[in-house]
Amino acid sequence: MSAEVALQIPADAAGLADLKQRAAILLTRGDLEETRSLVDEALVGLPEDSDLLALRGTCRARQGELSDGIQDLASAVMLNPRDWELLNNLAVHLQQMKMFDEAVVFHVKAINNSEPEHHPQLYINLGLAMTGQGDFKAAVELFEAVLDVHPDMIDAAVNLSSVLNSLKEYARSAEVCKRTLALVEAPELYHNMGNALHRIAGRNADAVKAFERAIELDPTNLKSKHMLSLLRDEDMESIPSDFVAGLFDDYASYYESDVIEKLRYRVPGLVRRYLLKATPGRTHFPSVLDLGCGTGLTGVMLRDLTDFQKGVDISRNMLVQALDKKIYDQIEAVDLQVSLGEIDRQYSVAIAADVCGYIGRLDGFVTKVFDVLESNGLFVFSVEESFLADYEVSAAGRFAHRRTYVQKVLTDSGFKVVTGAREQLRNSAGRPVFGMIFVAQKPA
Ligand SMILES: C[S@@+](CC[C@H](N)C(=O)[O-])C[C@H]1O[C@@H](n2cnc3c(N)ncnc32)[C@H](O)[C@@H]1O
């Protein structure tokens, strides 16, 4: 060990305790680089100190090195297997990695037979991990156990009402919110109550009041604003762009694991399959424009078919992930409601995979796509299917479209409809969501 490093390691127990305390304060303040350099240096001399490992693990996770952080936390747990705070910390980070089965194991160890009265947060965390596993009923029991002894615990009521909404137990969910709101106000509870009430026949006016109160308490609350505009304006033509950008910026870090593992998202593969089916024998398209490219899941499926691929999206965090894949020659942040971005060529293929759910009225968008395609160029896109209206907002807050409406918009814009295949696009709450994959061609 060099003399310089040796100087950083406190010689006595009091000095070490002081260093750990300083690091913990820096971590709480969010000063991650300072925490890291303090802890890294101390770990050189004390590589098996569980507190230092735990501090570095938490710090690494917050710096975006989630799996290295988890590794440190797991080493700390091995050295100190009875520390419930450490066990909980590891479990929470496993949860962030969507490793729900492992998270449940460590949450149970952290609880170690203690009662919800004494450690309510541990029960809530276990409930969240079980929700992640899809065991909604067990999660409900845990959140209820906490509310039995802490009826004003907002976190427990918010999570319980969210799970009940997922289980479509709307009356029960609204009741949970109402009971807790009688003791303490919280925008998230009004939001969940609004979500439950608007799905109960005849309760739309109450739902509107709940969303209004949620916005009064938190004017930055985009989710409640979105729901309120849906309830007030039945003719909504698209989902507000700032809402979509915020939604996907928040979703970006776990979008792929969510849609692939939990939702069994099939659209990227279907886009490739129907593109090739529409052009028998052809496996090369000079240029592809991926509209609403997200993290690039569809771009990955098409890269080998083209020389030039551009991805555009409104969410910068989704685009960061797309950039990492190195499958796009160009990437641009664009609001598709306004334009398709800078166009420096006529494209052979345009794609919109799972994007029309955010655009209700399609004519303006489809016309723009028509304009950027070369003669014989192809537009391949998915829509969720509505049987009631040309386009309508589903319970999930996204648009679904009627087949005849999509066909009419395409032909009115000048396209020839090649395919409109009915397919299972993904699952939602364990049930298949059906929709259509359209292939349309610009005439020669
Ligand atoms: C469900 S994701 C699909 C992403 C990708 N196409 C895929 O197949 O994985 C929808 C994407 O459309 C983007 N999007 C929705 N509305 C948009 C708009 N108005 N302008 C640009 N991008 C938009 C979202 O940001 C999001 O990345």
Side-chain angles (χ1 to χ4, degrees), residues 244 248 255 265 292-294 297-298 313-314 318 334-336 353-354:
V244 176
F248 282 96
Y255 170 78
Y265 178 54
C293 63
L297 284 179
T298 306
D313 202 283
I314 198 168
M318 295 290 269
V334 155
D335 178 358
L336 295 171
D354 208 15

Side-chain angles (χ1 to χ4, degrees), residues 377-422:
L378 294 152
F379 179 28
V380 189
F381 62 101
S382 64
V383 292
E384 283 175 31
E385 192 166 11
S386 160
F387 295 98
L388 299 173
D390 284 350
Y391 51 92
E392 56 162 348
V393 177
S394 68
R398 295 152 48 98
F399 283 103
H401 295 83
R402 183 153 49 192
R403 173 186 290 274
T404 49
Y405 169 71
V406 180
Q407 284 167 333
K408 180 168 184 322
V409 169
L410 286 169
T411 48
D412 285 355
S413 308
F415 276 111
K416 181 179 136 219
V417 180
V418 181
T419 318
R422 191 155 192 267

